[in-house]
């Protein structure tokens, strides 16, 4: 019987073939057994970083447009006659707004400044969990718009945290606003649409 077992041999098993493994071999086998789980985790990190890059790129673009437009308005349009763009329906008219977007709440300038700063902090913290491209664009618009108006609050007269925002887009029968206000409104509308669709910032979709 022993002679037969010697001739036939014992069945091959993974553990028998593997024998005593070195620590390096055990680590390599662990990675192989992880399979697609490790690959998925590796791909999620770059994808999240790309979404964060999109957020800050959109924010930088919106902020730059707002800042440049206000510099031009202050230099060329302030203390001058309004410029008609589409007859009486749309014109450029430089005004200083101490309130919130579209001229509301002029008595609460400091409060609006604090709110804008808080919004910026929340968006930056939320960016760490961001894996959705539409959410990255929406939050980028909010961040750029908030930064644009916050810059006015800090650096323009009459003083720090009480500065008046430069507005210049004046549609007929509507409040005067600026590009930062437009970015904030567009970002807010996009967030509402994404919420209705059930898309979360982390890229998951939920249905009520």
């Amino acid at each position: 019987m022993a002679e037969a077992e010697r001739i036939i041999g014992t069945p091959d098993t993974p553990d028998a073939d593997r024998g005593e493994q070195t620590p390096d071999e055990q680590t390599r086998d662990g990675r192989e057994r992880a399979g697609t789980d490790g690959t998925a985790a590796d791909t999620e990190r770059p994808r999240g970083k790309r979404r964060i890059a999109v957020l800050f790129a959109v924010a930088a673009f919106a902020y730059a447009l707002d800042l440049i437009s206000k510099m031009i308005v202050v230099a060329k349009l302030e203390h001058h006659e309004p410029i008609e763009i589409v007859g009486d329906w749309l014109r450029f008219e430089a005004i200083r707004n101490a309130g919130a977007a579209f001229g509301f709440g002029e008595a609460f300038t400091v409060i609006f400044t604090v709110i804008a700063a808080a919004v910026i902090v929340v968006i930056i913290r939320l960016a760490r969990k961001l894996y959705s491209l539409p959410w990255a664009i929406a939050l980028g618009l909010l961040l750029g718009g908030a930064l644009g108006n916050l810059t006015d609050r800090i650096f323009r007269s009459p003083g720090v945290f009480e500065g008046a925002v430069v507005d210049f887009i004046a549609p007929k029968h509507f409040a005067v606003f600026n590009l930062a206000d437009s970015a904030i409104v567009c970002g807010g509308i996009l967030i509402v649409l994404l919420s209705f669709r059930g898309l979360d910032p982390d890229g998951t979709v939920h249905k009520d």
Side-chain angles (χ1 to χ4, degrees):
M1 190 71 178
E3 183 67 19
E5 290 178 352
R6 185 182 66 79
I7 296 172
I8 296 173
T10 56
D12 292 336
T13 62
D15 292 336
D17 290 341
R18 193 174 295 121
E20 292 296 329
Q21 290 182 306
T22 65
D24 291 341
E25 290 173 338
Q26 292 174 358
T27 302
R28 183 171 63 252
D29 286 348
R31 290 174 179 172
E32 291 174 354
R33 287 193 295 269
T36 57
D37 292 339
T39 304
D42 291 341
T43 56
E44 284 296 320
R45 294 191 194 95
R47 191 165 70 93
K49 291 180 179 179
R50 286 196 293 269
R51 300 300 183 261
I52 295 174
V54 170
L55 186 156
F56 287 110
V58 171
F61 182 73
Y63 177 69
L65 282 182
D66 179 69
L67 186 62
I68 293 172
S69 66
K70 288 173 179 176
M71 292 174 61
I72 294 173
V73 167
V74 171
K76 303 294 184 181
L77 188 58
E78 201 167 34
H79 308 303
H80 291 79
E81 290 296 321
I83 299 175
E84 293 186 350
I85 305 301
V86 186
D88 292 336
W89 291 98
L90 178 63
R91 62 182 184 176
F92 288 164
E93 179 181 4
I95 68 167
R96 297 295 182 106
N97 171 25
F102 308 109
F104 297 113
E106 294 188 4
F108 304 99
T109 304
V110 176
I111 295 176
F112 292 134
T113 303
V114 174
I115 292 175
V119 168
I120 293 170
V121 172
V122 170
I123 293 174
I124 293 175
R125 289 177 62 86
L126 185 61
R128 296 180 300 175
K129 301 179 181 179
L130 187 64
Y131 289 94
S132 168
L133 180 60
W135 270 95
I137 295 173
L139 293 177
L141 290 171
L142 284 180
L143 180 59
L147 285 172
N149 284 338
L150 184 61
T151 300
D152 284 355
R153 304 286 189 198
I154 295 175
F155 295 105
R156 297 193 187 277
S157 60
V160 178
F161 299 123
E162 297 180 352
V165 174
V166 176
D167 290 337
F168 61 94
I169 303 173
K172 188 176 182 180
H173 305 309
F174 196 74
V176 184
F177 58 97
N178 56 43
L179 294 182
D181 297 332
S182 301
I184 292 172
V185 171
C186 291
I189 292 174
L190 183 54
I191 287 176
V192 171
L193 294 177
L194 294 174
S195 299
F196 273 118
R197 292 188 59 187
L199 180 62
D200 293 331
D202 62 0
T204 59
V205 179
H206 68 272
K207 294 182 179 179
D208 295 332

